[in-house]
Amino acid sequence: MQSYLIRRAFTFALTLLLAATLSYLVLLVLPGDPARLMLGLDASPDALGALRRQLGLDRPVPVRYLAWLGDLVRGDLGTSLLYRVPVRELLASGLAVTGPLALGAMLLAALVAVPLGTVAAVRRGGPLDVAVSGASQVGQALPSFWLGLFLILIFSVRLGWLPAGGFPPWSQGFWGAAGALVLPALALAAGRAASMSRMVRASLADALEEEYVRTAKAKGLPGRRVVLRHGLRNGVIPVLTLTGTELTQLLAGSVVVENLFSLPGLGNLALQGIGARDLPLVQGVVLLAAAAVLLTSLVLDVLYAVLDPRIRYR
């Protein structure tokens, strides 16, 4: 396991460097001048030149890249060209919104998907299985932004139970911030619950056909114990893989729902950074998203070994 973790650490660093370099190169070829975007179209050439020198945009690209790489090794992500504050502070504030939103959406999806998928697998071919399969297909077909609009109409406009948008800081009160994330989490959770329930159903149905499950039933073990201890535990690995994939997608790709509910999360930061050609900010978001993907993959690999003793890493 130790040699495996060392290899993964090397891969982690190399992947982060590659992701940052690609984002650096992509933004360089995009049209637009960050200095002109910041000062406006009527800015004088002297003002533009002074701002470019201040931001370091007048230096050659290789020099700027090497300087940025040196700062990155020291843990300095630079200063946002748009907000004029350290990128680390912006990422921390964005993650404080997107992180709980993604985790809440996945928790809601799991609370719905695991019981429904389990019931569908145990009663496969029956009315409950057909109902769960049909509901999951509908859930996967519903766009999250449409569901978000529907939730706003019902729970904000008509009932007035929850806010329609905005996000008060966590420092102003836990329940106010958490309440602002309920509707967007529900909008994101619906599609994930649909796909997860299908995966739970398929994985558990395959596990229940294995020889060790038949043996457990032949020994007279209660049906619930057979399903939970022998079936669900051994069929959960594909579900964990899907959960990790969905979680990283939510961290990096919930920009539509964040815009719909006016949430200052990572998706909004990335969108504004791209529009303003804010290279340090976009690179910071890309690095954070890549780190989340790699860390999630590592945690899943460890969980595989815990749940299935047959899996060993060398």
Side-chain angles (χ1 to χ4, degrees):
M1 177 67 78
Q2 184 177 0
S3 60
Y4 170 76
L5 292 177
I6 293 175
R7 292 196 304 270
R8 289 298 296 267
F10 176 77
T11 305
F12 184 95
L14 185 61
T15 304
L16 285 182
L17 176 61
L18 180 61
T21 302
L22 288 177
S23 66
Y24 193 98
L25 296 176
V26 168
L27 285 178
L28 285 178
V29 301
L30 290 178
D33 181 3
R36 187 170 292 279
L37 289 173
M38 295 171 66
L39 295 180
L41 297 177
D42 298 330
S44 65
D46 292 339
L48 289 173
L51 182 58
R52 291 192 186 101
R53 287 190 297 272
Q54 179 183 350
L55 299 176
L57 299 177
D58 59 328
R59 295 180 296 173
V61 172
V63 174
R64 288 158 50 192
Y65 174 76
L66 292 176
W68 167 81
L69 194 59
D71 292 338
L72 181 62
V73 172
R74 294 190 296 271
D76 183 6
L77 297 177
T79 301
S80 169
L81 305 181
L82 178 62
Y83 296 98
R84 304 294 184 91
V85 297
V87 172
R88 285 184 298 183
E89 296 182 8
L90 293 174
L91 294 182
S93 63
L95 189 60
V97 178
T98 303
L101 174 61
L103 291 175
M106 290 308 302
L107 178 60
L108 290 173
L111 290 176
V112 173
V114 173
L116 290 181
T118 301
V119 170
V122 174
R123 305 291 184 182
R124 56 186 180 278
L128 286 176
D129 183 19
V130 174
V132 170
S133 299
S136 64
Q137 291 179 0
V138 173
Q140 287 181 301
L142 288 177
S144 57
F145 71 88
W146 181 91
L147 183 58
L149 289 172
F150 177 78
L151 293 173
I152 290 173
L153 177 63
I154 299 299
F155 293 100
S156 298
V157 177
R158 294 191 176 180
L159 298 178
W161 290 354
L162 294 167
F167 184 80
W170 292 101
S171 58
Q172 294 183 7
F174 173 82
W175 295 113
L181 297 179
V182 171
L183 293 185
L186 287 173
L188 291 172
R192 276 73 192 177
S195 58
M196 194 183 298
S197 65
R198 293 172 65 90
M199 181 63 72
V200 171
R201 191 260 183 204
S203 301
L204 183 55
D206 291 339
L208 292 177
E209 296 297 328
E210 296 291 337
E211 189 64 32
Y212 58 84
V213 175
R214 297 195 186 99
T215 302
K217 291 180 179 179
K219 290 180 178 180
L221 293 178
R224 180 178 297 179
R225 184 177 178 183
V226 171
V227 171
L228 296 179
R229 183 173 181 179
H230 297 278
L232 193 58
R233 179 178 178 180
N234 291 279
V236 77
I237 289 181
V239 181
L240 283 177
T241 303
L242 177 63
T243 302
T245 302
E246 295 283 2
L247 180 60
T248 53
Q249 288 178 353
L250 287 176
L251 286 172
S254 56
V255 58
V256 174
V257 171
E258 287 184 4
N259 273 279
L260 176 63
F261 288 92
S262 300
L263 298 177
L266 294 176
N268 260 331
L269 279 178
L271 192 62
Q272 293 174 9
I274 293 173
R277 290 201 60 188
D278 189 342
L279 183 58
L281 178 57
V282 175
Q283 284 175 329
V285 175
V286 170
L287 283 173
L288 183 59
V293 172
L294 294 173
L295 287 175
T296 302
S297 176
L298 179 59
V299 171
L300 289 177
D301 287 344
V302 174
L303 287 177
Y304 295 160
V306 171
L307 293 172
D308 192 344
R310 296 171 297 181
I311 299 177
R312 291 290 181 268
Y313 300 112
R314 298 178 181 178

